[in-house]
Amino acid sequence: LSSLEQQQQRQRTAIALTRPPGHHATKQLANGFCLFNFCAAAALHATLNRDCRVSILDWDVHYGQGVADIVTESASNRIRYASIHQVPAFPNMGEEDTVTGGKICTIPMDPGTSWDSG
């Protein structure tokens, strides 16, 4: 969060590459070995600044249902979440290629998909 605040003070574009994102944890529940959803917390914190917009790209073997739930429930229309993930896999969600409410984009990939597979 401190790097986010520094970025906001300088009013510049920023990117954060983070692990672990905590993407399975919801507001109420630790899930999938994720105790706290760092990614969603940082995004919500960023939108306290009315000029800030946040895009989250989650490229992982698992769908981050926790981030999707928190972003969907958020009153902010300035957070977008895209997940590229393998199906079938835990948490057995995000199995269809969808765009939900202009906030959530799910891109499921078959196991063994590669750059060469077309």
Side-chain angles (χ1 to χ4, degrees):
L1 291 178
S2 65
S3 63
L4 170 66
E5 290 169 357
Q6 289 174 14
Q7 176 272 326
Q8 289 179 344
Q9 290 170 0
R10 294 186 185 105
Q11 297 185 359
R12 293 183 154 171
T13 300
I15 186 169
L17 305 174
T18 64
R19 289 299 288 172
H23 66 174
H24 295 301
T26 67
K27 281 185 178 180
Q28 296 85 14
L29 182 68
N31 192 353
F33 299 104
C34 299
L35 301 178
F36 184 77
N37 198 317
F38 300 101
C39 181
L44 291 172
H45 180 74
T47 59
L48 294 176
N49 176 337
R50 292 184 174 195
D51 296 329
C52 191
R53 293 176 293 164
V54 178
S55 296
I56 302 167
L57 174 61
D58 186 355
W59 188 340
D60 189 273
V61 74
H62 303 116
Y63 176 58
Q65 85 284 5
V67 176
D69 288 348
I70 291 169
V71 169
T72 299
E73 293 172 7
S74 167
S76 176
N77 288 321
R78 292 176 286 129
I79 304 173
R80 303 290 184 265
Y81 174 65
S83 177
I84 302 171
H85 53 276
Q86 178 181 304
V87 292
F90 177 85
N92 301 313
M93 301 171 82
E95 295 176 344
E96 295 182 23
D97 195 357
T98 61
V99 176
T100 306
K103 290 183 171 185
I104 310 297
C105 177
T106 56
I107 306 167
M109 306 293 283
D110 293 328
T113 299
S114 70
W115 295 111
D116 298 329
S117 66

